[in-house]
């Protein structure tokens, strides 16, 4: 939790003091979002897309079987690209095609996240990114951070007023900023040999920050 103050400004018979303060509230996340998909290759574009559709259908069935609601599954992107062979003094030659289909999946029961990841790979997903952990209803945490930031700003204003031989008369205005503190880089998973154990997942904590700019009027 930090605070800073700008130089006092005089207004009428009072002095305006602008104080910026921020505070953070932490909570255990209760939802996770990850992206999963299938990348396939074939000699021709149609073959790459057909193979991708067949494999992706199995992945979508696994997502449904894991109890993920339709509203929590959204297509993130479908792509098809030619693959080239490069040789010196020759134009690039197409050697095949790569198709990709990716969906974003929201998991609301974090106790099942490891099983969901394992089920995705077992069903044919060969590309997984995430997860990103979030708080489904963050307002209570934001309000806690707002109260702490306001208390910090008021304490800082009282300190400046006392140093100037003045008192805080009133709050002139409050402006709000701040937001979600993102975690570090998201882990990336590729298709790999899996053993019989469930993929371990550690949600940790998610921090939410509120930043306030409060203008106080100081006077005798």
């Amino acid at each position: 939790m930090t605070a800073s103050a700008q130089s006092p400004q005089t207004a009428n018979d009072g002095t305006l003091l602008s104080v910026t303060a921020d505070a953070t509230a932490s909570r255990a996340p209760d939802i996770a979002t990850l992206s999963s998909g299938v990348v396939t290759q074939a000699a021709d574009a149609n073959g790459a897309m057909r193979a991708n559709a067949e494999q992706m259908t199995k992945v979508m069935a696994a997502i449904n079987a894991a109890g993920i609601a339709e509203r929590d599954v959204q297509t993130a992107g479908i792509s098809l690209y030619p693959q080239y062979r490069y040789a010196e003094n020759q134009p690039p030659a197409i050697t095949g095609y790569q198709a990709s289909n990716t969906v974003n999946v929201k998991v609301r029961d974090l106790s099942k996240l490891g099983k969901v990841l394992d089920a995705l790979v077992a069903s044919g997903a060969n590309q997984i990114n995430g997860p990103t952990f979030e708080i489904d209803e963050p307002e209570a945490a934001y309000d806690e951070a707002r109260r702490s930031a306001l208390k910090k700003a008021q304490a800082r204003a009282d300190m400046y007023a006392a140093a100037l031989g003045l008192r805080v008369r009133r709050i002139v205005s409050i402006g709000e900023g701040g937001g979600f503190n993102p975690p570090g880089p998201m882990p990336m998973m590729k298709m790999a040999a899996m053993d019989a154990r469930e993929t371990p997942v550690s949600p940790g904590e998610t921090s939410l920050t509120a930043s306030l700019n409060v203008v106080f009027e100081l006077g005798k």
Side-chain angles (χ1 to χ4, degrees):
M1 183 166 58
T2 63
S4 62
Q6 299 177 5
S7 300
Q9 301 174 6
T10 301
N12 300 324
D13 63 338
T15 297
L16 297 185
L17 174 69
S18 178
V19 177
T20 299
D22 61 81
T24 299
S26 297
R27 296 284 189 279
D30 50 12
I31 58 174
T33 302
L34 58 93
S35 65
S36 178
V38 173
V39 177
T40 53
Q41 297 177 350
D44 61 273
N46 187 47
M49 288 297 289
R50 282 190 289 107
N52 192 281
E54 181 179 350
Q55 200 164 328
M56 194 64 187
T57 298
K58 297 177 182 178
V59 172
M60 295 298 286
I63 293 173
N64 182 65
I68 306 299
E70 288 187 10
R71 66 189 177 97
D72 292 328
V73 183
Q74 185 177 52
T75 297
I78 300 174
S79 62
L80 176 67
Y81 294 104
Q83 296 179 305
Y84 295 95
R85 181 182 66 246
Y86 297 91
E88 189 175 354
N89 299 324
Q90 293 183 14
I94 295 177
T95 58
Y97 289 83
Q98 177 175 287
S100 175
N101 190 338
T102 304
V103 293
N104 290 330
V105 180
K106 183 176 291 186
V107 180
R108 297 182 182 274
D109 185 350
L110 296 187
S111 67
K112 297 181 179 179
L113 182 55
K115 291 181 180 180
V116 171
L117 291 168
D118 293 343
L120 289 171
V121 176
S123 66
N126 54 15
Q127 193 170 53
I128 296 177
N129 293 282
T132 299
F133 295 101
E134 301 173 76
I135 299 172
D136 192 24
E137 297 181 358
E139 276 306 308
Y142 274 126
D143 285 344
E144 178 184 324
R146 290 173 181 126
R147 286 190 292 268
S148 295
L150 183 57
K151 184 177 179 180
K152 189 74 172 182
Q154 290 175 321
R156 188 59 56 87
D158 288 338
M159 183 274 294
Y160 276 106
L164 294 169
L166 303 173
R167 65 179 178 85
V168 176
R169 288 179 175 174
R170 64 189 179 99
I171 293 176
V172 177
S173 67
I174 300 176
E176 182 176 340
F180 171 64
N181 278 351
M186 292 191 303
M188 179 176 291
M189 296 178 60
K190 296 286 186 175
M191 189 173 183
M194 305 289 290
D195 60 20
R197 293 174 298 178
E198 180 181 316
T199 298
V201 177
S202 179
E205 282 193 337
T206 296
S207 295
L208 301 173
T209 298
S211 180
L212 301 180
N213 182 264
V214 187
V215 178
F216 297 88
E217 181 183 311
L218 309 183
K220 294 291 188 180

